[in-house]
């Protein structure tokens, strides 16, 4: 096995360059450079009915022995494609590697593939295969042990310190956009409170085709190959080998540069990306409603104009720095309540999570009031931190709405009818059993409003 070089490269993140070497290990990168180069063996004769997705590397229905003879003369890295003599329409890739001929069943569905990876060209498939086989051959033991000496903690501390610096700048510029409600809880949720960074969140990894050179941010080793070299977190941008991603803790720190939207995003993700205890959509809307709308008859029951709601939603997505001024200028308070209801409806995981949903329904079924309170409190405590704090702020707001019921005609029972199906969604979807549970959803919200101080103390 080759000996690892005694020098290390610096890694460059998409946001900033980390000059705290050594962090990136160059061994696998240099090994990839030494892999055999793909060379197609050109067929010199004309072949009828050649598949259009193959080029001159296609040799027709030749035997396995003839293929081996051609490849032996070509040397390592040479390849050709032949049709099976026994099974028409089936094709084999013959490839010379490490002094031996290897044969692979070849497929095409718009892209070339042998296993899971898909390639636009056969040349790329062979190049990637040669790199993989070469690294597996000469660095198998190294790969098996590479995650045992991670650089993740060092990189993570650098990334977090840089993100906090950026967040302080972003929050300072957003200060004018955030609205403080009258409650102490909401006031603690905005600028100056970085508590959301402590919320536990799993990374949202997806297999990715990386362009250029990338290093795993867990083990510090090069991510070899041409496609599907590893995974990338869609929320924070962290990249890693697929095997290393299984060892990374639940410490994702989402960034709005990667999240890119506000509505329809997981609650923990958006609060961590904005570094606020609750989403600023909730904060701004509740602040505006409480400032001038608590006396409005039919509050939350009367719908706003859908075009106005969509317009404000788009501003939250694209112009957060100025959205506060826009919300304040909207005359119809029902438009603002419509935005808030829409935000909760579009959450991929409801405010009352699917996991906690059965606990709330069980509490609502309970006939003994004291037991119901205890069960509701336990159900609320089971929620993830971002969901708990947001529910606390929302229910506290709905309590103040219900306190004005003589003016706005919205009792705790009426608010339960409006918010029950939005906050509590059955994990089974819209089934017959979920329809049967609608009264229980309403009752759970009503009881949380009436018993807010007891449940959230």
């Amino acid at each position: 096995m080759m000996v690892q070089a005694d020098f290390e490269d610096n890694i460059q993140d998409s946001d900033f360059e980390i000059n705290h070497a050594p962090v990136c290990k160059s061994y696998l990168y240099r090994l990839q450079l030494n892999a055999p180069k793909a060379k197609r063996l050109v067929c010199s004769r004309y072949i009828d009915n050649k598949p259009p997705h193959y080029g001159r590397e296609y040799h027709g229905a030749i035997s396995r022995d003839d293929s081996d003879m051609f490849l032996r003369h070509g040397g390592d890295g040479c390849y050709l494609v032949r049709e099976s003599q026994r099974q028409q329409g089936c094709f084999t890739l013959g490839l010379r590697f490490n002094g031996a001929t290897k044969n692979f069943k070849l497929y095409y569905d718009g892209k070339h593939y042998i296993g899971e990876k898909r390639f636009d060209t056969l040349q790329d498939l062979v190049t990637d295969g040669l790199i993989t086989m070469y690294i597996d051959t000469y660095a198998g033991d190294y790969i098996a042990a590479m995650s045992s000496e991670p650089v993740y903690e060092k990189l993570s501390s650098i990334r977090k310190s840089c993100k906090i610096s950026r967040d302080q700048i972003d929050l300072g510029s957003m200060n004018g956009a955030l609205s403080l409600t009258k409650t102490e809880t909401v006031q603690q949720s905005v600028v100056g409170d970085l508590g959301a960074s402590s919320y536990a969140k799993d990374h949202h990894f997806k297999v990715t085709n990386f362009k250029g050179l990338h290093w795993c941010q867990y083990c510090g080793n090069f991510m070899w190959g041409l496609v599907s070299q590893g995974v990338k977190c869609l929320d924070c941008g962290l990249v890693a080998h697929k095997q290393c991603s299984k060892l990374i803790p639940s410490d994702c720190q989402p960034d709005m540069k990667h999240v890119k939207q506000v509505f329809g995003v997981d609650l923990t993700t958006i609060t961590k990306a904005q570094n606020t205890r609750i989403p600023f959509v909730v904060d701004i809307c509740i602040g505006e409603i409480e400032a001038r709308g608590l006396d409005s008859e039919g509050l939350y029951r009367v719908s706003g104009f859908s075009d106005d709601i969509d317009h404000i939603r788009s501003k939250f997505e694209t112009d957060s720095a100025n959205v506060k001024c826009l919300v304040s200028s909207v005359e119809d308070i029902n438009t603002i309540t419509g935005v808030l209801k829409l935000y909760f409806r579009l959450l991929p995981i409801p405010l009352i999570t699917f996991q906690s949903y059965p606990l709330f329904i069980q509490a609502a079924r309970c006939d003994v009031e004291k037991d119901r309170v205890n069960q509701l409190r336990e159900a609320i405590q089971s929620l993830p931190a971002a969901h708990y704090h947001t529910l606390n702020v929302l229910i506290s707001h709905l309590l103040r709405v219900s306190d004005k019921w003589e003016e706005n005609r919205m009792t705790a029972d009426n608010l339960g009818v409006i918010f029950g199906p939005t906050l509590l969604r059955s994990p089974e979807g819209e089934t017959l059993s979920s329809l049967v549970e609608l009264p229980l959803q309403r009752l759970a919200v009503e009881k949380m409003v009436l018993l807010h101080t007891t449940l959230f103390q």
Side-chain angles (χ1 to χ4, degrees):
M1 179 181 295
M2 297 177 63
V3 179
Q4 181 178 352
D6 57 2
F7 69 89
E8 308 285 358
D9 298 326
N10 290 339
I11 186 171
Q12 183 166 339
D13 180 72
S14 58
D15 295 326
F16 55 90
E17 186 173 357
I18 302 173
N19 293 314
H20 298 258
V23 287
C24 283
K25 305 165 186 177
S26 62
Y27 174 53
L28 295 179
Y29 171 61
R30 291 182 292 106
L31 205 59
Q32 173 169 305
L33 295 179
N34 293 331
K37 303 301 183 285
K39 298 171 290 185
R40 68 174 181 171
L41 286 181
V42 175
C43 181
S44 58
R45 58 191 177 88
Y46 176 78
I47 300 176
D48 289 328
N49 301 319
K50 180 181 73 173
H53 46 272
Y54 294 133
R56 297 181 65 189
E57 69 279 352
Y58 181 71
H59 286 243
I62 63 174
S63 68
R64 188 185 185 107
D65 290 339
D66 287 342
S67 171
D68 182 56
M69 180 184 66
F70 293 149
L71 291 168
R72 281 203 312 271
H73 284 92
D76 275 8
C78 287
Y79 69 94
L80 58 79
V81 177
R82 60 184 175 88
E83 185 177 15
S84 172
Q85 292 181 324
R86 291 178 297 179
Q87 202 169 359
Q88 188 177 5
C90 292
F91 304 94
T92 299
L93 171 67
L95 174 64
R96 194 73 177 175
F97 174 76
N98 213 19
T101 298
K102 299 183 178 296
N103 294 283
F104 305 92
K105 200 164 186 179
L106 191 59
Y107 302 92
Y108 182 80
D109 62 357
K111 289 183 180 292
H112 302 274
Y113 66 99
I114 290 174
E116 294 181 355
K117 293 183 177 183
R118 299 291 199 272
F119 299 85
D120 292 327
T121 68
L122 195 57
Q123 180 80 5
D124 285 346
L125 182 152
V126 175
T127 299
D128 184 85
L130 288 168
I131 291 171
T132 300
M133 289 190 294
Y134 190 80
I135 288 181
D136 286 346
T137 300
Y138 293 103
D141 293 340
Y142 181 88
I143 292 172
M146 66 184 181
S147 59
S148 62
E149 296 182 1
V151 299
Y152 182 74
E153 290 299 328
K154 181 175 182 177
L155 285 176
S156 181
S157 63
I158 297 171
R159 289 172 62 89
K160 285 178 182 177
S161 64
C162 291
K163 184 179 188 302
I164 289 174
S165 298
R166 288 197 304 271
D167 286 340
Q168 288 171 343
I169 296 173
D170 293 342
L171 286 171
S173 63
M174 197 185 295
N175 191 17
L178 291 174
S179 167
L180 298 179
T181 69
K182 297 179 182 179
T183 67
E184 181 181 358
T185 304
V186 178
Q187 290 172 347
Q188 291 175 346
S189 74
V190 291
V191 180
D193 178 16
L194 303 181
S197 61
S198 64
Y199 293 168
K201 181 189 179 306
D202 291 332
H203 290 272
H204 186 188
F205 285 120
K206 182 180 180 181
V207 175
T208 301
N209 297 333
F210 294 101
K211 295 182 180 179
L213 307 179
H214 284 75
W215 273 258
C216 175
Q217 291 175 299
Y218 182 80
C219 70
N221 283 285
F222 179 67
M223 301 171 69
W224 65 90
L226 297 188
V227 302
S228 303
Q229 303 97 320
V231 296
K232 180 178 182 179
C233 177
L234 300 184
D235 295 332
C236 72
L238 183 75
V239 300
H241 296 113
K242 190 174 181 180
Q243 67 201 68
C244 291
S245 68
K246 300 173 183 177
L247 303 174
I248 295 175
S250 301
D251 61 353
C252 179
Q253 297 292 331
D255 193 304
M256 289 305 297
K257 181 186 68 177
H258 298 289
V259 177
K260 295 182 180 178
Q261 64 184 65
V262 174
F263 285 71
V265 176
D266 168 65
L267 197 64
T268 301
T269 298
I270 198 66
T271 52
K272 287 177 75 71
Q274 296 171 348
N275 211 11
T276 54
R277 190 178 290 268
I278 67 172
F280 73 84
V281 172
V282 177
D283 188 43
I284 290 177
C285 289
I286 287 180
E288 195 63 32
I289 294 165
E290 296 202 354
R292 59 185 174 95
L294 290 181
D295 295 336
S296 178
E297 185 173 343
L299 190 66
Y300 285 113
R301 186 180 69 244
V302 178
S303 300
F305 291 106
S306 59
D307 288 346
D308 294 338
I309 293 172
D310 290 340
H311 178 62
I312 294 176
R313 172 189 173 181
S314 69
K315 286 298 182 181
F316 272 112
E317 302 282 13
T318 60
D319 191 15
S320 59
N322 298 311
V323 73
K324 174 63 173 68
C325 295
L326 174 63
V327 170
S328 298
S329 67
V330 174
E331 294 184 7
D332 186 5
I333 199 66
N334 298 311
T335 298
I336 311 303
T337 61
V339 172
L340 186 62
K341 289 188 292 183
L342 178 65
Y343 178 79
F344 286 118
R345 263 200 318 273
L346 294 182
L347 285 175
I349 300 175
L351 186 58
I352 305 298
T353 63
F354 294 127
Q355 186 174 5
S356 297
Y357 177 86
L359 299 177
F360 282 86
I361 295 301
Q362 179 182 341
R365 280 199 175 102
C366 185
D367 294 328
V368 181
E369 186 67 13
K370 182 178 179 180
D371 293 339
R372 175 187 287 155
V373 171
N374 290 333
Q375 289 182 26
L376 269 177
R377 185 184 292 114
E378 291 178 5
I380 291 169
Q381 293 292 335
S382 73
L383 293 171
H387 291 251
Y388 173 88
H389 291 304
T390 304
L391 181 65
N392 184 13
V393 170
L394 176 63
I395 297 300
S396 176
H397 163 66
L398 295 182
L399 175 59
R400 289 187 291 278
V401 172
S402 67
D403 285 343
K404 293 273 191 175
W405 70 269
E406 291 182 344
E407 291 84 6
N408 58 39
R409 305 301 181 187
M410 295 303 294
T411 61
D413 176 63
N414 291 336
L415 292 170
V417 172
I418 300 297
F419 281 93
T422 299
L423 304 185
L424 291 99
R425 282 181 257 150
S426 171
E428 300 175 358
E430 295 183 2
T431 62
L432 181 60
S433 61
S434 67
L435 292 176
V436 173
E437 291 171 350
L438 280 175
L440 298 174
Q441 296 170 0
R442 173 196 61 75
L443 183 60
V445 173
E446 177 188 354
K447 290 300 181 181
M448 282 192 288
V449 172
L450 295 174
L451 301 169
H452 172 265
T453 303
T454 302
L455 295 174
F456 288 90
Q457 62 183 341

